[in-house]
Structure formats: structure tokens, C-alpha cells
Amino acid sequence: MSSKINSLLTNLNDQLSFINLEIDNESTRCERAIEVILKTIKALKIVVQKTKFKTDAEEIKFFKEIKPQFTSKLIYYNTIFKIEMKKPNGGNRIVKKYYNNELVKLKAFFDNELEFYRYYRSRSTYLDHKYFLRSRFDIKMSLDSYYFEADTSFSTSHDYKVAKILANDLIQLYLENNLVLIGNKDNGEKSQRKPNLKMIWTSPKVALIELVYALHTEGVF
């Protein structure tokens, strides 16, 4: 099973790299990437359904470490697609506010899943048998409703959450990079503007009056 899965993942990464290089438009790039990822996940599901895991440890490894590498890409490109499609038309200030609001949404997920986030990031394993074995869910762990509608032959109670964590890392990086680009544009525009200079008359006021009178006399105004 591992060789087939590794081949699927390698081919997927190659195809996504090609898409990212060949397509400049962000929305079009995401659409194409989603099509490729969905086909790959369908193939991955067939491999899993045709092959039984030899041990619980092997099954845990798949749903904790391997499957999220596929589904996180789907979450990432789908989220970026929605972000770009909903991006408001306007100046840099409006777009910056929009991107910052998207960062706030990522933090909200982090806050809601803080307990599991700490468990996963600390590489803990003591609850893996409940989180990453099929049909071993614990209703007391505040499961998301989507799990009860998912295909239990290809899902556990928490493999999607791992994928979401991995995807959110990339989404955060995407948003922050765009904010940096906008900031660079703002700085570039400011540097091209003529500075507002405050002119100060240092001679006596009488000299200024005489100068204005002389210019007026010559008819220059």
C-alpha cells in the first residue's frame, strides 16, 4: 500500500507544482488544482478500501500523517479560491482590511481547537486510538457534525482536523505574504510622492512686504 500511496502523493505534488508555474491567475490556478486533488483523493480512497491495514499502528499512521497531506491541499486551494473570489474591489487599505479579517478567522479556528492543536503539535500519542482509528470515535470529545455524515471507511474523527491545521499554516502564510506585498506597494507610492515642504521666511517682515510690492509693481501676478 505504501508504495502506491507514495506514488500518488509524488504525482500530486508534481502536478500542483506545474499548475503553480503555468497559471498566473489565482482563481484559475485554484480551480485546476482542486480538480487534480479530487481525482487523486478518489484514487487514494480506492487503494485504502482494497487493502486492509495490518495493525492499528499502521492505520493510525495513515490517518494521522498520510491522508492529511492530501486533504490539506484540497482545503488550502478551496479556501484560497473562496478568499480571492470574495475579495472586494478597492484600494490597498480595503484589501488589507479584508486579508486581516481572514487572519482573524484562522485564529478563531485555533482558539476553538486549542486542546487538539496542542495535542497534535506536541506529537502526543495517548489518544491516537480514539482520534485516528475508524469507528472508534468518542462522542464525549465534542465531535464536529460533519464526521457523522462522512464515509467512515475512509475517515476518522480527527484526520480532517489535522488536515485543517496543515492547511491553515499555508493559508496564513499566503495572507501574510499578500499583506507584505501591499505594504511594499504603499511604501513605493509614498517614496514617489513629492514631500510636503514647509517654507519659512527668515528675513524681516518688512523685506517680505517690499518683495511682494515690487513683484506687484512689475505686474508678475
Side-chain angles (χ1 to χ4, degrees):
M1 181 192 292
S2 59
S3 61
K4 293 180 181 178
I5 292 173
N6 289 336
S7 178
L8 285 173
L9 185 58
T10 299
N11 290 336
L12 175 59
N13 287 331
D14 290 343
Q15 290 182 76
L16 293 178
S17 296
F18 179 78
I19 290 170
N20 289 332
L21 288 172
E22 291 296 312
I23 303 176
D24 293 329
N25 182 272
E26 195 66 56
S27 299
T28 304
R29 181 189 300 159
C30 289
E31 285 185 86
R32 179 61 184 141
I34 290 170
E35 291 176 5
V36 171
I37 297 167
L38 286 173
K39 289 179 181 178
T40 306
I41 290 177
K42 184 177 181 180
L44 177 66
K45 183 176 181 179
I46 292 172
V47 171
V48 172
Q49 290 176 335
K50 287 184 176 180
T51 311
K52 291 184 178 180
F53 294 105
K54 297 177 182 178
T55 63
D56 284 353
E58 188 179 47
E59 183 173 345
I60 288 171
K61 180 179 175 64
F62 174 79
F63 286 105
K64 186 178 183 179
E65 300 177 16
I66 299 173
K67 184 189 172 188
Q69 293 183 61
F70 292 84
T71 48
S72 63
K73 291 175 173 60
L74 179 60
I75 296 169
Y76 169 77
Y77 282 103
N78 187 47
T79 303
I80 297 303
F81 177 77
K82 290 190 290 185
I83 287 174
E84 291 303 316
M85 292 300 291
K86 294 179 181 179
K87 184 171 68 176
N89 293 321
N92 290 342
R93 183 180 62 84
I94 294 174
V95 177
K96 280 173 68 175
K97 183 179 179 181
Y98 174 72
Y99 283 143
N100 279 314
N101 286 338
E102 293 300 318
L103 285 173
V104 171
K105 293 179 183 179
L106 294 182
K107 186 179 183 303
F109 173 81
F110 168 80
D111 292 339
N112 290 334
E113 303 292 343
L114 183 58
E115 184 177 349
F116 178 72
Y117 186 89
R118 287 173 175 168
Y119 175 88
Y120 175 72
R121 288 301 191 195
S122 64
R123 299 182 181 275
S124 298
T125 59
Y126 61 92
L127 289 175
D128 281 1
H129 63 289
K130 290 187 177 182
Y131 288 156
F132 302 111
L133 288 176
R134 292 168 293 180
S135 303
R136 299 281 187 92
F137 66 90
D138 188 342
I139 193 65
K140 296 177 182 178
M141 291 184 170
S142 301
L143 302 180
D144 293 326
S145 297
Y146 73 82
Y147 171 68
F148 299 106
E149 300 177 4
D151 183 349
T152 55
S153 69
F154 192 58
S155 301
T156 66
S157 63
H158 283 69
D159 67 86
Y160 182 84
K161 289 186 178 182
V162 173
K164 185 76 171 173
I165 289 172
L166 297 177
N168 281 358
D169 287 344
L170 297 176
I171 296 165
Q172 180 179 344
L173 185 62
Y174 174 86
L175 294 171
E176 290 175 346
N177 284 342
N178 276 307
L179 287 170
V180 169
L181 291 174
I182 293 172
N184 290 339
K185 281 184 181 179
D186 288 340
N187 292 334
E189 290 173 0
K190 288 178 182 178
S191 65
Q192 292 175 3
R193 294 174 188 165
K194 294 181 179 179
N196 294 322
L197 299 178
K198 184 178 181 180
M199 300 176 67
I200 301 175
W201 181 265
T202 58
S203 294
K205 290 183 179 180
V206 174
L208 176 60
I209 293 172
E210 291 176 350
L211 175 62
V212 173
Y213 181 75
L215 293 171
H216 178 68
T217 302
E218 292 294 323
V220 298
F221 292 121

